Amino acid sequence: MRDDLAALRPLLLASGLGLGVAAASEPGAEPAGPAEAAAAASMPEQRRREFLAGRRAARRALWAVGLDCGEIPRSGRLPVFAPGRAASISHSAGIAVAVARGADGELPLGCDLELRPLPRAAARLVLRADEEPLLAVWSVTALFSAKESAWKALAVTDGGLRDLRASSCGDELRVGLRVDPARAVGVRVVHVGAAGVFSYVTGQDTVPG
């Protein structure tokens, strides 16, 4: 699985993005500083491993675009990066992945990893009626993942995934706010492993779908 994800690095670099991957099972993983240690201290062991894997993945993504990065504290549930650094982190089934942009990049950031496929019945939690035709081409897992990536990139704070509208745009998906259709991003979804998907935002889309 990690090899499948690592193979995507050239694809993301072509879009100006760095990719980092880490496993919760990596031996000897420790917090990178006191803020990470404090955040992880009260977590159950598996959650602690996943949290630290996410931080390692983010640092590796930033290194991939030539940026160093120390510890990554958090505010609430959100990671807090040093000035000039930004990354998006996702976890699934013990694997953490992150995407980062270079210091001069302006791409909105969002990624999502789903290694456990969702049942078709979950579509009602993700889609509205006007999006159901997408199921002829895209799996529920792919659509869920794309909306998760867009949710992060658009910095949505209220509502749920059904408040985003997805539409096909070539080999990508366009995902935008229903209340403000001009606020949208392009999202690419890539299959990884036997049934998993990885999605990431490829750029801002200002043309209403």
Side-chain angles (χ1 to χ4, degrees), residues 59-105:
R59 281 188 282 274
R60 291 168 185 174
L62 286 161
W63 292 337
V65 290
L67 296 174
D68 60 356
C69 181
E71 70 167 340
I72 304 169
R74 66 176 183 172
S75 176
R77 295 178 58 86
L78 298 177
V80 178
F81 293 92
R85 277 87 173 134
S88 176
I89 304 170
S90 183
H91 313 79
S92 182
I95 300 294
V97 65
V99 296
R101 61 175 176 244
D104 57 350

Side-chain angles (χ1 to χ4, degrees), residues 147 150-161 163-164 176-177 183:
K147 286 195 173 188
W151 184 276
K152 297 173 184 178
L154 295 169
V156 183
T157 57
D158 297 312
L161 295 185
D163 296 313
L164 299 176
L177 300 178
R183 284 189 61 200

